[in-house]
Amino acid sequence: MRFVAVLAWLILAGTGVALAQDRDTRAERQEVIRLLGQLPDIAPIREDLRLLGFRGDNLDLAVAQAELLYRDPVIAGYVADQVIAAFEDPTAVRVSDGLMWPLIERGLGHLPTRDLKFYYTVERKIMETLTIRQCGMAVSNRMRPARFAELTSRVAARLNTDALEKYYRIQAQAARIGARRQPVRLSEGAARRVEERLQASMTRSIMATDRAGDLMQAMINLDQASTTEACAIGRLFMNTVLQLEGRALSDTLVYMSRP
């Protein structure tokens, strides 16, 4: 969305002025936080969200979510630190990934299983709503992140309001946690157990289809699979994961939520 580009330019430009004038780190940090807080009043957030298909209560929710993410003191403080670090050493922070999504990723794994399951249920809905070509390109990592963000936003705009509100609440909670804590790290043994379980579960799911041979080959060589096969693997994967229960579900969702 356009306001993200505006945000990046304004913050980095404003930080440049602050750094040139004053080397007081606390003052620099407060200036970036101030600029972040002003963004919802400057950038065309509501207009951009309306162009993505948001209407009525969903539009109000999306605008409120954007304002929260840029004005929450914990989140804004973390983002300010990242912006300053990026200005001082452009190789230290991947600004191209955006300022908010990496923060949400840091916190997701700390959430309760019930919230993670809901979050990935919405993600499954988004995957199911994309066209097969769009879905396959996303699953096989052939789609630009900006394009994927646009498509998922268009799907989110059509969610029922209660689901969208809960989805946004989970994102905001993850962002606040991510600002305070390091990502969850699974031990090598735990990660291996999850991978083995996923391999076995996916194999069973694939063998139950009428395209078992093609889909097994696609799963092994996803980057070479057709978009149709890649999409089928992605959708099958989400369905397989969300059918797990208990500790198996919990561990798998945490595994999937690692940055």
Side-chain angles (χ1 to χ4, degrees), residues 40-164:
D41 299 324
I42 299 172
I45 294 175
R46 184 173 290 272
E47 175 189 345
D48 283 348
L49 290 168
R50 188 177 286 112
L51 289 173
L52 289 170
F54 287 89
R55 297 289 186 275
D57 290 341
N58 279 12
L59 176 59
D60 291 339
L61 276 175
V63 171
Q65 180 77 351
E67 292 178 349
L68 181 152
L69 290 175
Y70 291 118
R71 287 176 171 160
D72 181 277
V74 174
I75 297 172
Y78 178 88
V79 173
D81 292 338
Q82 297 301 296
V83 169
I84 292 171
F87 185 87
E88 295 181 341
D89 179 3
T91 66
V93 180
R94 294 178 61 183
V95 177
S96 61
D97 288 343
L99 294 169
M100 293 299 174
W101 179 244
L103 185 56
I104 293 171
E105 283 188 319
R106 284 169 58 93
L108 271 178
H110 293 284
L111 296 179
T113 300
R114 64 179 181 278
D115 285 346
L116 279 178
K117 183 174 183 179
F118 180 85
Y119 183 86
Y120 283 107
T121 298
V122 174
E123 295 284 296
R124 177 177 63 180
K125 174 66 175 178
I126 290 172
M127 185 179 293
E128 290 173 345
T129 305
L130 296 177
T131 67
I132 290 177
R133 182 174 182 277
Q134 292 167 345
C135 164
M137 290 181 67
V139 170
S140 58
N141 201 30
R142 300 175 212 170
M143 183 179 288
R144 292 180 297 108
R147 174 59 173 161
F148 183 68
E150 176 190 347
L151 290 173
T152 55
S153 293
R154 291 185 181 280
V155 175
R158 301 196 297 273
L159 293 174
N160 72 66
T161 301
D162 288 343
L164 184 63

